[in-house]
């Protein structure tokens, strides 16, 4: 008889591959799944009867800005309470490492927290910090192009010189050697917009040898979105690296209804090269307050503002009215601030979310006072609202987009599936009740229906809240095939 430290009986197991549920027992010992099967001959001091509940691999949040929050607020309740067991940090060109701050924090690196939170001059020092803090969730990290520009350029409103590119390449190599997943860019932001395609390519060229990925917050998500997609694909082809388009959307009212074109471009590229995307399940975006995105037709809410904290949670329209100025002028006076932009069409968002190449990424901003509800709600919302209620895709397919698919795409080869030998990141949830409760009006609220969350085999969250045991690891990039498991992670063709 198998003795194990946790035994979950009679769960409806969704293994993360996209396959239908099967009622099975899962045995966990010392951080690993040690057996999966019907009526296992096993015993354990911690046995859970999971009848009626779904057991899935812990969710992987593919798109986060939790770079410093995993260290500053290691309990990570916004994510753990959704069943997330791994966060991928370093998106949109901004990362906490490797960073040497010789200046004021450039926008949008401020999304990652205060200047004093940036204390990782090398990627290896960030890996060490994760190891000593032990956040409640696992952390895997991209290197931000804007962070590299910050390290080596006197000003960010120009393209890098070849000497600066060489210096950035050295930083990137150090990070890849220390386990970074790849390179991210945020070419839409002023701090990276002047970078040429060639500058990005010169960095991306290093990814292939490392088996690493290229992710991008594209140069634009509005009128020029198709050109921006072509730029991303071209960089991926030149580099021989898989491309992940971050938070794919058609932003701005004049751009609504174009998701068909955008997805057609994605599909044409997918026929030629490795391309995918992530998406959050809301018809509103959030970032720093950007004057270029101020449009009186778009509802904009302030998520935080150092100069005028009293306006947090209020609409830009009401602030402009109170001041008797235009919204653009109000936005100028509020700088620097954070904002939510209701500038996405729900139909477009659903079409992109439902696309078979789409992974789930919250893009949550952990330091906003009045955050976008995606920070606390993304994963249960996909499961409850968009799969169960709206039937955009089946539950096995919804779980696959949060588990097996991202694990495979990012090279996290011992995560994302429920298989013997893999890491025991697991979430048990009620498929009938799982749902987000965070709203735009009341955004800091844990989801319903998440019953148990294990991170590396350690029970970290239950319906009673966090258990206080933090068991997250830094997850280095692993090349496909480097894992000893006899069950290779073949990409599963989705059925929905
Ligand atoms: Zn972004
Ligand atoms: Cu982002």
């Amino acid at each position: 008889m198998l003795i194990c430290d946790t035994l979950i009986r009679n769960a409806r197991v969704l293994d993360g591959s996209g396959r239908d549920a099967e009622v099975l027992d899962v045995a966990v010992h010392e951080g690993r799944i040690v057996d999966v099967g019907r009526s296992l001959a096993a015993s354990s001091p911690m046995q859970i009867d999971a009848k009626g509940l779904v057991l899935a691999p812990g969710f992987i949040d593919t798109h986060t800005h939790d770079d410093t929050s995993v260290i500053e607020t290691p309990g990570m309740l916004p994510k753990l309470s959704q069943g997330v067991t791994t966060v991928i940090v370093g998106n949109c060109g901004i990362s906490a490492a490797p960073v040497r701050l010789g200046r004021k924090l450039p926008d949008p690196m401020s999304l990652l927290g205060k200047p004093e939170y940036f204390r990782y001059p090398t990627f290896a020092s960030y890996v060490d910090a994760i190891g000593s803090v032990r956040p409640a969730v696992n952390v895997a990290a991209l290197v931000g192009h804007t962070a590299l520009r910050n390290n080596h350029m006197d000003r960010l409103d120009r393209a890098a010189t070849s000497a600066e590119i060489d210096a950035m390449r050295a930083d990137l190599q150090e990070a890849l050697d220390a386990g970074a997943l790849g390179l991210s860019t945020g070419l839409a932001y002023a701090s990276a917009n002047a970078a040429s395609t060639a500058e990005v390519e010169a960095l991306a060229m290093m990814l292939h040898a490392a088996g690493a990925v290229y992710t991008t917050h594209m140069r634009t998500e509005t009128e020029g979105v198709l050109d921006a997609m072509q730029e991303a694909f071209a960089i991926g082809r030149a580099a021989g690296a898989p491309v992940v388009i971050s938070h794919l959307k058609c932003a701005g009212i004049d751009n609504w209804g174009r998701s068909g074109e955008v997805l057609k471009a994605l599909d044409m590229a997918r026929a030629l090269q490795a391309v995918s995307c992530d998406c959050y399940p809301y018809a509103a975006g959030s970032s720093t307050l950007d004057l270029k995105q101020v449009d009186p037709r778009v509802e904009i809410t302030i998520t935080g503002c150092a100069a005028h904290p009293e306006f947090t949670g209020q609409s830009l329209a009401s602030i402009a009215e109170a001041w008797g100025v235009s919204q653009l002028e109000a936005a100028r006076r509020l700088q620097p601030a954070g904002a939510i932009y209701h500038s996405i069409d729900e139909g477009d968002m659903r079409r992109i979310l439902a696309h078979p190449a789409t992974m789930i990424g919250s893009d949550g901003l952990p330091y906003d006072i009045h955050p976008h509800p995606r920070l606390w709600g993304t994963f249960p919302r996909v499961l409850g609202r968009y799969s169960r209620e709206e039937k955009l895709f089946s539950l096995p397919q919804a779980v696959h987009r949060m588990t097996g698919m991202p694990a495979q795409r990012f090279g996290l080869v011992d995560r994302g599936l429920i298989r013997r030998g893999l890491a025991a990141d697991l979430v048990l949830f009620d498929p009938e009740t799982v749902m987000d409760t965070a709203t735009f009006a009341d955004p800091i609220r844990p989801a319903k229906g998440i019953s148990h969350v294990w991170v590396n085999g350690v029970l970290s969250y239950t319906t009673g809240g966090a258990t206080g045991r933090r068991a997250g690891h830094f997850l280095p990039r692993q090349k496909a095939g480097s894992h000893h498991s006899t069950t290779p992670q073949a990409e599963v063709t989705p059925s929905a």
Side-chain angles (χ1 to χ4, degrees):
M1 160 132 26
L2 174 70
I3 310 288
C4 55
D5 50 41
T6 303
L7 182 58
I8 304 155
R9 293 266 193 210
N10 306 312
R12 289 165 58 185
V13 172
L14 284 174
D15 69 0
S17 70
R19 273 203 287 273
D20 285 344
E22 239 188 298
V23 176
L24 296 169
D25 297 347
V26 173
V28 170
H29 196 63
E30 291 178 346
R32 297 260 147 198
I33 296 165
V34 291
D35 209 354
V36 182
R38 269 176 232 279
S39 310
L40 290 179
S43 91
S44 169
M46 191 196 271
Q47 188 160 318
I48 288 157
D49 181 13
K51 196 162 181 291
L53 301 178
V54 166
L55 185 69
F59 305 141
I60 299 170
D61 190 346
T62 60
H63 189 115
T64 85
H65 295 290
D66 293 329
D67 301 61
T68 71
S69 65
V70 292
I71 291 164
E72 306 301 329
T73 55
M76 290 301 292
L77 201 57
K79 298 299 166 74
L80 197 58
S81 61
Q82 298 182 57
V84 169
T85 57
T86 296
V87 295
I88 296 179
V89 305
N91 282 281
C92 298
I94 56 175
S95 57
V99 169
R100 278 91 63 190
L101 262 193
R103 71 175 93 216
K104 209 173 136 255
L105 205 49
D107 177 85
M109 285 175 72
S110 50
L111 293 175
L112 303 183
K114 302 176 195 167
E116 55 268 35
Y117 296 168
F118 289 80
R119 38 178 195 266
Y120 315 104
T122 61
F123 194 85
S125 63
Y126 181 72
V127 174
D128 288 347
I130 299 292
S132 55
V133 169
R134 265 212 123 175
V137 297
N138 301 305
V139 182
L142 298 156
V143 175
H145 167 235
T146 301
L148 299 181
R149 285 170 68 82
N150 162 79
N151 290 348
H152 298 290
M153 296 176 69
D154 58 345
R155 50 190 299 172
L156 304 180
D157 59 352
R158 61 172 177 82
T161 64
S162 60
E164 288 161 346
I165 290 173
D166 285 346
M168 290 195 264
R169 284 170 58 98
D171 269 358
L172 179 57
Q173 189 63 57
E174 184 271 330
L176 291 169
D177 291 345
L181 296 183
L183 174 71
S184 80
T185 57
L187 299 173
Y189 290 103
S191 48
N193 195 252
S196 62
T197 304
E199 173 182 326
V200 180
E201 268 175 13
L203 296 169
M205 288 301 185
M206 306 176 64
L207 300 171
H208 180 77
V213 302
Y214 174 63
T215 78
T216 181
H217 176 153
M218 295 184 290
R219 211 174 273 282
T220 176
E221 296 174 327
T222 58
E223 287 82 346
V225 63
L226 294 177
D227 291 338
M229 290 174 79
Q230 293 311 328
E231 180 185 33
F233 302 151
I235 291 167
R237 280 196 306 274
V243 176
V244 179
I245 306 283
S246 295
H247 41 61
L248 184 60
K249 64 171 89 72
C250 305
I253 289 178
D254 298 327
N255 213 29
W256 284 6
R258 295 185 63 201
S259 51
E261 283 171 71
V262 161
L263 291 174
K264 193 167 163 218
L266 187 80
D267 280 333
M268 286 175 68
R270 285 174 78 214
L272 304 171
Q273 63 187 109
V275 168
S276 62
C277 64
D278 60 68
C279 180
Y280 46 78
Y282 296 87
S286 183
S287 187
T288 47
L289 177 57
D290 173 14
L291 301 181
K292 291 197 307 276
Q293 290 187 59
V294 174
D295 175 343
R297 297 171 298 170
V298 170
E299 187 192 337
I300 297 176
T301 314
I302 302 305
T303 57
C305 173
H308 295 281
E310 69 277 18
F311 290 135
T312 299
Q314 293 197 25
S315 74
L316 184 62
S318 68
I319 299 165
E321 201 185 308
W323 279 342
V325 299
S326 69
Q327 291 198 34
L328 191 60
E329 177 55 25
R332 247 184 232 119
R333 292 189 194 174
L334 291 166
Q335 293 292 322
I340 294 167
Y341 306 88
H342 292 266
S343 61
I344 302 169
D345 175 59
E346 173 82 18
D348 281 330
M349 183 278 287
R350 290 181 184 214
R351 226 165 285 132
I352 292 168
L353 193 67
H355 188 277
T358 302
M359 301 179 284
I360 310 304
S362 71
D363 205 4
L365 299 173
Y367 294 114
D368 280 344
I369 309 296
H370 186 91
H372 187 305
R374 65 194 184 183
L375 178 65
W376 288 79
T378 290
F379 290 81
R381 184 174 175 86
V382 168
L383 298 171
R385 181 176 168 108
Y386 289 112
S387 175
R388 183 180 65 236
E389 291 186 351
E390 303 287 331
K391 303 195 169 26
L392 274 193
F393 31 62
S394 68
L395 188 62
Q397 194 36 230
V399 167
H400 177 56
R401 287 149 187 272
M402 312 173 169
T403 57
M405 186 190 285
Q408 205 260 345
R409 293 202 193 285
F410 285 96
L412 303 172
V413 300
D414 67 347
R415 314 267 152 180
L417 292 174
I418 296 183
R419 292 271 197 283
R420 188 188 304 166
L422 299 203
D425 291 342
L426 296 165
V427 53
L428 192 61
F429 66 90
D430 184 340
E432 304 305 325
T433 62
V434 66
M435 187 59 87
D436 57 309
T437 69
T439 64
F440 285 98
D442 190 5
I444 301 182
R445 298 189 61 187
K448 291 191 302 184
I450 303 293
S451 168
H452 291 67
V453 182
W454 290 268
V455 178
N456 294 304
V458 173
L459 183 62
S460 303
Y461 184 83
T462 68
T463 42
T467 62
R469 296 178 66 199
R470 306 200 308 256
H473 296 167
F474 177 80
L475 305 183
R477 180 192 72 259
Q478 293 167 287
K479 279 194 200 173
S482 69
H483 182 64
H484 55 79
S485 165
T486 51
T487 322
Q489 263 191 308
E491 177 142 32
V492 176
T493 312
S495 52

